[in-house]
Amino acid sequence: MTSDTQEMGVKRSAKGLVARDGFSTSLGVLAATLGSAVGLGNIWKFPYLTGENGGAAFILVYVIATLLVGLPVMISEHMLGRRARADAIQTLRVLAPKRQPWWLIGAAGCLSAFLILAFYTEVAGWVFAYIFKALTGSILSTDPTQTSGVFNDMATDPAQSLIWQWVVLAVVGAIIMLGVSKGIERATKRLMPVLFVLLIAVCVRSLTLDGAGEGVKFLLRPDFSKLSGEVLLVAMGLAFFKLSIGMGTMITYGSYFRRNQNIPVTASRVMLADLSVSLLAGMAIFPAVFAFGFSPDAGPSLLFITIPAVFASMPLGEVFIIFFFVLTAIAATGAMLSLFEVPVAVLNEQLGLSRVKATLLTMGLLVLVGAPAALSNSTLDDFKLFDKTMFDLYDYATSNILMPVGGLFLALFVGWVWGYDQVKSALSNDGALRNERVIRAFFGVVKFVTPVLVTLVLLDGLNII
Ligand code: TRP
């Protein structure tokens, strides 16, 4: 089985006459996969959703969703990708019984990748712009009306919005063109340690402020009255978004894993490290927000309006704010690389386009799909579907619907179609690892718990039950 499917992977890419690229070391696998998981999700979404939904209780639900839904789906994706050694669509086509349309999960994943990138590149564009504003000091004011003026001037200017999005697309596209091992792996291996160091520095600064205790309490002391069906849905959506699952990213990365990679261990490490980054980001942000009397529930603009005012209020803030936006830009870049790789791998391996052409085509399509999101605060701010701007719609539809549905079908596929024997041989590296207990626990959860939870939360959150 292994050699057959591996053969297939090699033969298909042999069209290009070279063996299939992949991650070259175990550390590289970890850096790239963690680079995918860690992103604006940790530093922009996690804090603002925690702030809006009442703090510790939301975090608790999010952690449960990560364990019972996120981790099993991530293990599933790595496992399937590595078995098939192919892009997201082809992986499910090769592994599913004939004439069953499971490949649609991969196809829906490509669509999600575009929709996510459309708004993600816009937020990343603001982050890139903020590095320059932090260097010149133009965002530093203790008065939130001032910082909100700076943000609005940028976000409501169509030209600036589009240009920053294109800058981001160009940076990410350039790394993708270099390939999997020379581009993605090398970039993430160098950048991830920088991110950690900067994040810890900002955390220490925030926690040593007078009055930091309120913010720590907000993060650790749950108030369950804040929970509702919609909040559960949002927490689960965040678990999907955070771990880059439910749309083929982790299948694609799994296809570059080494044959002796211990998948359950790797996925658990990524999950834990990612959770730590989110909590550190919370610790970097909320103690400072509370210490200076700002409100935690500012929503998506927390990062761009509240944070600069918070930093302007603290000693050495003008230095730490540069750290902060550089680390956010690094995080966003690693995540966008993995999103880009989904369509690029499909175009490269299914349509036989060269990597450079596949990347250019993806960039071109993103200029088109991304523009409505980029212009959501300016030219198109009145254009709404389902009562949401295109920016919000892309975000909501992917996190709260497409990815959970993709994850649901992946779990069903692994638990009910692929079955225990295949899972066992895939996760034990064909018997080389003695991890049967772990495999059994994983299989039980992915077969029964994950599908039921995802279905219930989807139905409840979308007000169907
Ligand atoms: N996980 C990333 C973050 O938290 C975003 C991301 C990267 C992503 N790849 C993905 C989200 C694939 C969904 C699907 O910022």
PDB file of all heavy atoms in Angstrom, residues 36-42 116 120 240-245 247 249 335 338-339 403, ligand 1:
ATOM      1  N   SER A  36       2.158  27.442  10.057  1.00  0.00           N
ATOM      2  CA  SER A  36       0.823  27.516   9.470  1.00  0.00           C
ATOM      3  C   SER A  36      -0.218  27.814  10.543  1.00  0.00           C
ATOM      4  O   SER A  36      -1.100  28.650  10.366  1.00  0.00           O
ATOM      5  CB  SER A  36       0.480  26.198   8.783  1.00  0.00           C
ATOM      6  OG  SER A  36      -0.898  26.138   8.522  1.00  0.00           O
ATOM      7  N   ALA A  37      -0.101  27.110  11.663  1.00  0.00           N
ATOM      8  CA  ALA A  37      -1.113  27.265  12.714  1.00  0.00           C
ATOM      9  C   ALA A  37      -1.048  28.656  13.341  1.00  0.00           C
ATOM     10  O   ALA A  37      -2.058  29.327  13.512  1.00  0.00           O
ATOM     11  CB  ALA A  37      -0.923  26.194  13.785  1.00  0.00           C
ATOM     12  N   VAL A  38       0.167  29.082  13.670  1.00  0.00           N
ATOM     13  CA  VAL A  38       0.310  30.373  14.337  1.00  0.00           C
ATOM     14  C   VAL A  38       0.144  31.493  13.322  1.00  0.00           C
ATOM     15  O   VAL A  38       0.781  31.482  12.276  1.00  0.00           O
ATOM     16  CB  VAL A  38       1.699  30.471  14.999  1.00  0.00           C
ATOM     17  CG1 VAL A  38       1.980  31.894  15.444  1.00  0.00           C
ATOM     18  CG2 VAL A  38       1.764  29.528  16.182  1.00  0.00           C
ATOM     19  N   GLY A  39      -0.711  32.425  13.627  1.00  0.00           N
ATOM     20  CA  GLY A  39      -0.924  33.505  12.656  1.00  0.00           C
ATOM     21  C   GLY A  39      -1.783  34.591  13.254  1.00  0.00           C
ATOM     22  O   GLY A  39      -1.847  34.761  14.485  1.00  0.00           O
ATOM     23  N   LEU A  40      -2.461  35.301  12.362  1.00  0.00           N
ATOM     24  CA  LEU A  40      -3.353  36.355  12.838  1.00  0.00           C
ATOM     25  C   LEU A  40      -4.419  35.777  13.756  1.00  0.00           C
ATOM     26  O   LEU A  40      -4.987  36.479  14.579  1.00  0.00           O
ATOM     27  CB  LEU A  40      -4.006  37.052  11.647  1.00  0.00           C
ATOM     28  CG  LEU A  40      -3.032  37.835  10.773  1.00  0.00           C
ATOM     29  CD1 LEU A  40      -3.713  38.283   9.490  1.00  0.00           C
ATOM     30  CD2 LEU A  40      -2.508  39.046  11.542  1.00  0.00           C
ATOM     31  N   GLY A  41      -4.670  34.477  13.602  1.00  0.00           N
ATOM     32  CA  GLY A  41      -5.612  33.802  14.485  1.00  0.00           C
ATOM     33  C   GLY A  41      -5.223  33.975  15.942  1.00  0.00           C
ATOM     34  O   GLY A  41      -6.086  34.191  16.804  1.00  0.00           O
ATOM     35  N   ASN A  42      -3.937  33.876  16.252  1.00  0.00           N
ATOM     36  CA  ASN A  42      -3.502  33.999  17.647  1.00  0.00           C
ATOM     37  C   ASN A  42      -3.469  35.433  18.124  1.00  0.00           C
ATOM     38  O   ASN A  42      -3.743  35.719  19.285  1.00  0.00           O
ATOM     39  CB  ASN A  42      -2.074  33.458  17.845  1.00  0.00           C
ATOM     40  CG  ASN A  42      -1.907  32.071  17.295  1.00  0.00           C
ATOM     41  OD1 ASN A  42      -2.004  31.877  16.084  1.00  0.00           O
ATOM     42  ND2 ASN A  42      -1.680  31.110  18.148  1.00  0.00           N
ATOM     43  N   ILE A 116     -10.352  32.681   2.504  1.00  0.00           N
ATOM     44  CA  ILE A 116      -9.611  33.074   3.708  1.00  0.00           C
ATOM     45  C   ILE A 116      -8.514  34.071   3.335  1.00  0.00           C
ATOM     46  O   ILE A 116      -8.364  35.122   3.946  1.00  0.00           O
ATOM     47  CB  ILE A 116      -8.980  31.856   4.413  1.00  0.00           C
ATOM     48  CG1 ILE A 116     -10.068  30.902   4.909  1.00  0.00           C
ATOM     49  CG2 ILE A 116      -8.116  32.300   5.593  1.00  0.00           C
ATOM     50  CD1 ILE A 116      -9.536  29.568   5.385  1.00  0.00           C
ATOM     51  N   TYR A 120      -7.568  37.643   4.814  1.00  0.00           N
ATOM     52  CA  TYR A 120      -6.347  37.513   5.609  1.00  0.00           C
ATOM     53  C   TYR A 120      -5.253  38.436   5.079  1.00  0.00           C
ATOM     54  O   TYR A 120      -4.536  39.087   5.841  1.00  0.00           O
ATOM     55  CB  TYR A 120      -5.880  36.063   5.531  1.00  0.00           C
ATOM     56  CG  TYR A 120      -5.089  35.563   6.708  1.00  0.00           C
ATOM     57  CD1 TYR A 120      -5.714  34.857   7.731  1.00  0.00           C
ATOM     58  CD2 TYR A 120      -3.721  35.756   6.799  1.00  0.00           C
ATOM     59  CE1 TYR A 120      -5.000  34.369   8.808  1.00  0.00           C
ATOM     60  CE2 TYR A 120      -3.000  35.278   7.873  1.00  0.00           C
ATOM     61  CZ  TYR A 120      -3.642  34.578   8.878  1.00  0.00           C
ATOM     62  OH  TYR A 120      -2.931  34.099   9.935  1.00  0.00           O
ATOM     63  N   PHE A 240     -10.941  25.625  14.402  1.00  0.00           N
ATOM     64  CA  PHE A 240     -10.631  25.229  13.023  1.00  0.00           C
ATOM     65  C   PHE A 240      -9.656  26.202  12.379  1.00  0.00           C
ATOM     66  O   PHE A 240      -8.662  25.817  11.775  1.00  0.00           O
ATOM     67  CB  PHE A 240     -11.916  25.161  12.189  1.00  0.00           C
ATOM     68  CG  PHE A 240     -12.613  23.849  12.306  1.00  0.00           C
ATOM     69  CD1 PHE A 240     -13.610  23.652  13.247  1.00  0.00           C
ATOM     70  CD2 PHE A 240     -12.275  22.787  11.484  1.00  0.00           C
ATOM     71  CE1 PHE A 240     -14.254  22.428  13.371  1.00  0.00           C
ATOM     72  CE2 PHE A 240     -12.906  21.563  11.595  1.00  0.00           C
ATOM     73  CZ  PHE A 240     -13.897  21.378  12.533  1.00  0.00           C
ATOM     74  N   PHE A 241      -9.994  27.473  12.516  1.00  0.00           N
ATOM     75  CA  PHE A 241      -9.169  28.507  11.882  1.00  0.00           C
ATOM     76  C   PHE A 241      -7.751  28.474  12.442  1.00  0.00           C
ATOM     77  O   PHE A 241      -6.770  28.528  11.715  1.00  0.00           O
ATOM     78  CB  PHE A 241      -9.817  29.868  12.141  1.00  0.00           C
ATOM     79  CG  PHE A 241      -9.143  31.002  11.443  1.00  0.00           C
ATOM     80  CD1 PHE A 241      -9.450  31.310  10.129  1.00  0.00           C
ATOM     81  CD2 PHE A 241      -8.195  31.770  12.097  1.00  0.00           C
ATOM     82  CE1 PHE A 241      -8.822  32.361   9.483  1.00  0.00           C
ATOM     83  CE2 PHE A 241      -7.557  32.819  11.459  1.00  0.00           C
ATOM     84  CZ  PHE A 241      -7.876  33.122  10.145  1.00  0.00           C
ATOM     85  N   LYS A 242      -7.675  28.359  13.767  1.00  0.00           N
ATOM     86  CA  LYS A 242      -6.379  28.388  14.441  1.00  0.00           C
ATOM     87  C   LYS A 242      -5.469  27.266  13.971  1.00  0.00           C
ATOM     88  O   LYS A 242      -4.293  27.469  13.715  1.00  0.00           O
ATOM     89  CB  LYS A 242      -6.567  28.232  15.950  1.00  0.00           C
ATOM     90  CG  LYS A 242      -6.800  29.447  16.749  1.00  0.00           C
ATOM     91  CD  LYS A 242      -5.681  30.444  16.689  1.00  0.00           C
ATOM     92  CE  LYS A 242      -4.336  29.878  16.473  1.00  0.00           C
ATOM     93  NZ  LYS A 242      -3.753  30.140  15.180  1.00  0.00           N
ATOM     94  N   LEU A 243      -6.022  26.063  13.894  1.00  0.00           N
ATOM     95  CA  LEU A 243      -5.165  24.919  13.565  1.00  0.00           C
ATOM     96  C   LEU A 243      -5.078  24.686  12.055  1.00  0.00           C
ATOM     97  O   LEU A 243      -4.544  23.674  11.612  1.00  0.00           O
ATOM     98  CB  LEU A 243      -5.656  23.671  14.298  1.00  0.00           C
ATOM     99  CG  LEU A 243      -5.521  23.768  15.826  1.00  0.00           C
ATOM    100  CD1 LEU A 243      -6.086  22.534  16.499  1.00  0.00           C
ATOM    101  CD2 LEU A 243      -4.068  23.962  16.245  1.00  0.00           C
ATOM    102  N   SER A 244      -5.578  25.599  11.281  1.00  0.00           N
ATOM    103  CA  SER A 244      -5.527  25.499   9.813  1.00  0.00           C
ATOM    104  C   SER A 244      -6.127  24.198   9.297  1.00  0.00           C
ATOM    105  O   SER A 244      -5.563  23.542   8.432  1.00  0.00           O
ATOM    106  CB  SER A 244      -4.086  25.584   9.297  1.00  0.00           C
ATOM    107  OG  SER A 244      -3.372  26.622   9.900  1.00  0.00           O
ATOM    108  N   ILE A 245      -7.286  23.805   9.866  1.00  0.00           N
ATOM    109  CA  ILE A 245      -7.844  22.515   9.461  1.00  0.00           C
ATOM    110  C   ILE A 245      -9.218  22.658   8.817  1.00  0.00           C
ATOM    111  O   ILE A 245      -9.823  23.716   8.870  1.00  0.00           O
ATOM    112  CB  ILE A 245      -7.975  21.569  10.666  1.00  0.00           C
ATOM    113  CG1 ILE A 245      -8.734  22.258  11.779  1.00  0.00           C
ATOM    114  CG2 ILE A 245      -6.606  21.104  11.125  1.00  0.00           C
ATOM    115  CD1 ILE A 245      -9.020  21.366  12.956  1.00  0.00           C
ATOM    116  N   MET A 247      -9.884  22.305   5.628  1.00  0.00           N
ATOM    117  CA  MET A 247      -9.916  22.736   4.229  1.00  0.00           C
ATOM    118  C   MET A 247      -8.691  22.309   3.427  1.00  0.00           C
ATOM    119  O   MET A 247      -8.482  22.828   2.334  1.00  0.00           O
ATOM    120  CB  MET A 247     -10.140  24.241   4.128  1.00  0.00           C
ATOM    121  CG  MET A 247      -9.426  25.106   5.108  1.00  0.00           C
ATOM    122  SD  MET A 247      -7.733  25.520   4.708  1.00  0.00           S
ATOM    123  CE  MET A 247      -7.797  25.987   3.022  1.00  0.00           C
ATOM    124  N   THR A 249      -5.326  22.378   4.090  1.00  0.00           N
ATOM    125  CA  THR A 249      -3.976  22.877   4.340  1.00  0.00           C
ATOM    126  C   THR A 249      -3.110  21.802   4.985  1.00  0.00           C
ATOM    127  O   THR A 249      -1.988  21.540   4.567  1.00  0.00           O
ATOM    128  CB  THR A 249      -4.013  24.075   5.310  1.00  0.00           C
ATOM    129  OG1 THR A 249      -4.621  25.153   4.635  1.00  0.00           O
ATOM    130  CG2 THR A 249      -2.629  24.493   5.722  1.00  0.00           C
ATOM    131  N   ALA A 335       1.461  31.629   8.156  1.00  0.00           N
ATOM    132  CA  ALA A 335       0.115  31.111   7.930  1.00  0.00           C
ATOM    133  C   ALA A 335      -0.289  31.258   6.465  1.00  0.00           C
ATOM    134  O   ALA A 335      -0.856  30.344   5.861  1.00  0.00           O
ATOM    135  CB  ALA A 335      -0.872  31.838   8.836  1.00  0.00           C
ATOM    136  N   SER A 338       1.020  28.632   4.070  1.00  0.00           N
ATOM    137  CA  SER A 338       0.322  27.344   4.035  1.00  0.00           C
ATOM    138  C   SER A 338      -0.998  27.445   3.288  1.00  0.00           C
ATOM    139  O   SER A 338      -1.444  26.495   2.658  1.00  0.00           O
ATOM    140  CB  SER A 338       0.083  26.833   5.457  1.00  0.00           C
ATOM    141  OG  SER A 338      -0.896  27.605   6.111  1.00  0.00           O
ATOM    142  N   LEU A 339      -1.630  28.599   3.347  1.00  0.00           N
ATOM    143  CA  LEU A 339      -2.874  28.776   2.605  1.00  0.00           C
ATOM    144  C   LEU A 339      -2.607  28.812   1.108  1.00  0.00           C
ATOM    145  O   LEU A 339      -3.325  28.221   0.309  1.00  0.00           O
ATOM    146  CB  LEU A 339      -3.560  30.073   3.042  1.00  0.00           C
ATOM    147  CG  LEU A 339      -4.305  29.988   4.368  1.00  0.00           C
ATOM    148  CD1 LEU A 339      -4.507  31.359   4.972  1.00  0.00           C
ATOM    149  CD2 LEU A 339      -5.656  29.312   4.156  1.00  0.00           C
ATOM    150  N   MET A 403     -15.226  25.413   7.008  1.00  0.00           N
ATOM    151  CA  MET A 403     -14.209  24.600   7.675  1.00  0.00           C
ATOM    152  C   MET A 403     -14.814  23.563   8.621  1.00  0.00           C
ATOM    153  O   MET A 403     -14.403  22.401   8.581  1.00  0.00           O
ATOM    154  CB  MET A 403     -13.179  25.495   8.366  1.00  0.00           C
ATOM    155  CG  MET A 403     -12.236  26.069   7.315  1.00  0.00           C
ATOM    156  SD  MET A 403     -11.424  27.581   7.704  1.00  0.00           S
ATOM    157  CE  MET A 403     -10.788  27.329   9.244  1.00  0.00           C
TER     158      MET A 403
HETATM  159  N1  TRP B   1      -4.034  29.168  11.405  1.00  0.00           N
HETATM  160  C1  TRP B   1      -3.760  30.460  10.866  1.00  0.00           C
HETATM  161  C2  TRP B   1      -3.989  31.524  11.910  1.00  0.00           C
HETATM  162  O1  TRP B   1      -4.330  31.255  12.999  1.00  0.00           O
HETATM  163  C3  TRP B   1      -4.554  30.782   9.645  1.00  0.00           C
HETATM  164  C4  TRP B   1      -4.513  29.738   8.625  1.00  0.00           C
HETATM  165  C5  TRP B   1      -3.465  29.296   7.949  1.00  0.00           C
HETATM  166  C6  TRP B   1      -5.574  28.984   8.212  1.00  0.00           C
HETATM  167  N2  TRP B   1      -3.815  28.282   7.124  1.00  0.00           N
HETATM  168  C7  TRP B   1      -5.102  28.071   7.281  1.00  0.00           C
HETATM  169  C8  TRP B   1      -6.887  28.987   8.574  1.00  0.00           C
HETATM  170  C9  TRP B   1      -5.948  27.173   6.727  1.00  0.00           C
HETATM  171  C10 TRP B   1      -7.716  28.084   8.007  1.00  0.00           C
HETATM  172  C11 TRP B   1      -7.250  27.172   7.103  1.00  0.00           C
HETATM  173  O2  TRP B   1      -3.839  32.671  11.649  1.00  0.00           O
END
